[in-house]
Amino acid sequence: MTLLYFLTLFPLVPALGMLLARGDRARDAVGLVGSGIIMAVTVVVAVMFFGTGPQSFEVAPGTSHVLSIISSVIDVILCTVILYNAYKYRNALTTVLGIVQLVGSLAFAAMTLPAAEAVTATPLYLDYMSVIMVLAVGIVGSLICVYALGYMKDFQAHDEHEAALRGQTAPDRRPQFLALMFLFLSAMFVIVTSDNLEWLFCGWEITTVCSFLMIGYTRTPEAIKNAFTQIILNMLGGIAFLAGLMYLHVNGMPLTISGMIELSGAGTAQSALLVMPVILLSLAALTKAAQMPFHTWLLGAMVAPTPTSALLHSSTMVKAGVFLMVKLSPLYAIYPVTGFMVTSVGAITFLLAALMAISQSNAKRVLAYSTISNLGLISACLGVGAPEAVWAAIFLILFHTVAKSLLFLCVGTAEHHIGSRNIEDMDLLFERMPRLARFMMLGIMCMFVAPFGMLIAKWATLVSFAETGNVALIILLAFGSAATFMFWAK
């Protein structure tokens, strides 16, 4: 329990350190030490809990009540940040959605926070998927933070040079950017260790607002536009999530994932009512996972500095969506209508995004469509709900996390050196930057070449789809896989 608290709260220390540190040397020290400690603790957690099976850690009722109050306060603060930026940039739709979410958050807090509601202990929860995600967030996310220390120096130097040519000065907002990255990690640890849906929602919304601020980092018209696209689409998912929580509470159903799964097997009239909250939570997950038609926010995120792209596409943000679907997968098998919705959206997204990636010449957009496509395949597996399909999805998540973070960092580095992210300008990369080219090829091979994990995962996916007897799913998988091979070969 202490380790889980430490893992969740410690990233706030380097986040605060980034804001207080003066000078690159101090920030480098804070980032390196903080990232090293996070990685070490995640490895300890994995060693301790991976072979023990699912475990719940009861939180005392008083502590649970305090944590719920804190999460409600954070939700209100996040809504305030959204409304402030919506007013600042005169974005009417964001203002409306912000008000809806603020009113909903206050109403939900008024329903659940009275002391009489906090009579039962609420658990933190670790299973195999949680441990895998802890490792992915802690190791991959921390390495991206380390990469960002050097990358943002070059990014700032480029901005200062461009501003000097115009006779202006470029403000240095790197401390805020680096602090947001570590706050991201803290929020992700909350998401992957919480059985309590209210706490999970708090971490969920923190990642939404952090990504909004990071996408709009440069404050150019394009960056601001794409940041608001992200916040609008993800707030639709957030409102659906909040509506699901309110539905559960009003109908006297548990606000924990394990409680929902237990209730679903009861065969009572109340268990039949679970269909609606499962649909609402799945809608939120599909939005966060950038599934069609909500995928445009992830494409727009490409305007942000490369560490943002790597974080959003690999270990955080989009993985929060598929993680929630993993947790809900037992319910998809029990309520087929929910599983059909998730599988259909995922399979169509897998095929269409792979086809769109073929026509792209911008390397980051190729990677973005690849991410959307692979997340579609993961969602399709999870919607099936069978244990074999869920394990195939977990393998896809794991190898996609590693490969995509490596590829985004490689593309960002190549862009800095050759001044372009167009794949047509990367001719002779093996001669000009041989080490980088080898890392890039390793990332590509991890995605589709035997004996790497993505190929194994896709084979397991094909088997699980065949067992469902759904011919349309198999056809979508076959054509999507062919398109995947084609754009990676290109």
Side-chain angles (χ1 to χ4, degrees):
M1 177 77 81
T2 304
L3 269 179
L4 296 184
Y5 281 141
F6 181 86
L7 196 61
T8 301
L9 297 176
F10 178 77
L12 301 179
V13 175
L16 182 61
M18 290 298 175
L19 297 175
L20 299 178
R22 292 293 177 261
D24 290 340
R25 183 171 297 181
R27 280 194 288 269
D28 288 350
V30 170
L32 290 171
V33 173
S35 298
I37 293 174
I38 292 170
M39 286 189 283
V41 175
T42 56
V43 171
V44 171
V45 170
V47 171
M48 289 181 63
F49 297 112
F50 192 76
T52 60
Q55 290 195 48
S56 292
F57 302 88
E58 297 292 335
V59 179
T63 304
S64 176
H65 191 211
V66 170
L67 292 175
S68 294
I69 293 173
I70 293 173
S71 67
S72 296
V73 171
I74 292 174
D75 291 340
V76 172
I77 292 173
L78 294 174
C79 290
T80 304
V81 171
I82 294 169
L83 288 172
Y84 168 76
N85 281 278
Y87 172 78
K88 180 179 178 180
Y89 293 104
R90 303 292 191 272
N91 192 295
L93 182 55
T94 304
T95 302
V96 172
L97 292 175
I99 292 172
V100 171
Q101 186 159 332
L102 178 60
V103 172
S105 297
L106 292 172
F108 183 70
M111 289 190 290
T112 59
L113 286 185
E117 300 291 342
V119 295
T120 58
T122 304
L124 299 173
Y125 186 82
L126 279 181
D127 56 14
Y128 291 114
M129 183 60 194
S130 300
V131 174
I132 290 171
M133 286 298 294
V134 164
L135 279 172
V137 173
I139 295 178
V140 178
S142 295
L143 289 174
I144 294 171
C145 290
V146 171
Y147 172 87
L149 295 172
Y151 180 92
M152 294 308 291
K153 291 177 188 175
D154 291 341
F155 194 93
Q156 181 65 23
H158 179 268
D159 278 359
E160 290 175 352
H161 176 71
E162 293 291 323
L165 294 177
R166 299 190 302 268
Q168 302 171 344
T169 57
D172 188 357
R173 295 190 297 275
R174 285 179 297 159
Q176 295 93 318
F177 181 87
L178 295 169
L180 285 171
M181 294 189 73
F182 281 101
L183 178 58
F184 233 117
L185 300 187
S186 179
M188 280 301 299
F189 286 131
V190 171
I191 290 172
V192 302
T193 60
S194 295
D195 191 42
N196 185 320
L197 284 168
E198 185 180 359
W199 302 347
L200 195 154
F201 177 69
C202 180
W204 190 273
E205 290 303 294
I206 291 173
T207 61
T208 296
V209 173
C210 284
S211 61
F212 165 72
L213 298 174
M214 293 167 73
I215 293 170
Y217 172 77
T218 59
R219 298 186 182 176
T220 62
E222 183 184 14
I224 292 170
K225 176 190 172 191
N226 291 344
F228 275 104
T229 299
Q230 181 273 335
I231 199 70
I232 288 169
L233 292 175
N234 277 280
M235 283 179 70
L236 291 173
I239 291 170
F241 198 128
L242 187 58
L245 293 181
M246 297 178 76
Y247 186 97
L248 288 169
H249 178 76
V250 168
N251 288 280
M253 291 184 278
L255 290 173
T256 60
I257 297 174
S258 60
M260 291 174 64
I261 294 172
E262 184 178 349
L263 177 62
S264 67
T268 63
Q270 191 181 45
S271 64
L273 296 176
L274 272 176
V275 173
M276 182 54 68
V278 172
I279 289 176
L280 290 170
L281 293 176
S282 299
L283 177 61
L286 291 169
T287 305
K288 184 77 81 173
Q291 297 298 281
M292 292 182 176
F294 308 108
H295 65 289
T296 52
W297 74 261
L298 194 59
L299 299 173
M302 297 301 100
V303 301
T306 293
T308 303
S309 304
L311 265 182
L312 297 186
H313 287 253
S314 61
S315 58
T316 59
M317 194 64 175
V318 293
K319 291 299 188 299
V322 293
F323 175 79
L324 180 56
M325 285 188 274
V326 170
K327 306 296 279 187
L328 294 174
S329 58
L331 298 172
Y332 296 148
I334 296 173
Y335 304 106
V337 65
T338 61
F340 178 77
M341 178 190 78
V342 172
T343 299
S344 300
V345 172
I348 293 170
T349 301
F350 171 60
L351 174 60
L352 294 183
L355 293 173
M356 291 175 185
I358 296 174
S359 64
Q360 304 300 313
S361 59
N362 183 313
K364 280 195 173 182
R365 288 185 73 85
V366 173
L367 295 180
Y369 276 116
S370 167
T371 295
I372 295 167
S373 178
N374 277 285
L375 291 170
L377 182 58
I378 293 168
S379 301
C381 288
L382 296 173
V384 171
E388 298 81 5
V390 174
W391 274 108
I394 292 173
F395 273 113
L396 286 167
I397 292 169
L398 179 61
F399 286 97
H400 177 266
T401 296
V402 176
K404 198 52 64 72
S405 59
L406 176 62
L407 284 167
F408 265 106
L409 299 183
C410 286
V411 167
T413 303
E415 180 186 2
H416 262 286
H417 284 81
I418 67 176
S420 172
R421 61 177 67 164
N422 194 314
I423 60 176
E424 306 297 340
D425 297 328
M426 294 184 185
D427 289 341
L428 304 178
L429 199 63
F430 270 103
E431 295 180 14
R432 298 156 67 185
M433 304 174 68
R435 185 178 301 174
L436 179 72
R438 291 189 186 102
F439 277 119
M440 196 177 293
M441 289 304 298
L442 176 63
I444 291 174
M445 288 190 296
C446 284
M447 298 300 289
F448 76 99
V449 176
F452 292 97
M454 285 291 284
L455 184 71
I456 298 171
K458 285 191 176 181
W459 174 257
T461 303
L462 181 62
V463 172
S464 63
F465 281 10
E467 290 177 352
T468 66
N470 191 325
V471 177
L473 281 179
I474 299 173
I475 293 174
L476 288 172
L477 177 64
F479 279 91
S481 297
T484 300
F485 177 83
M486 190 168 181
F487 72 71
W488 282 124
K490 175 185 175 181

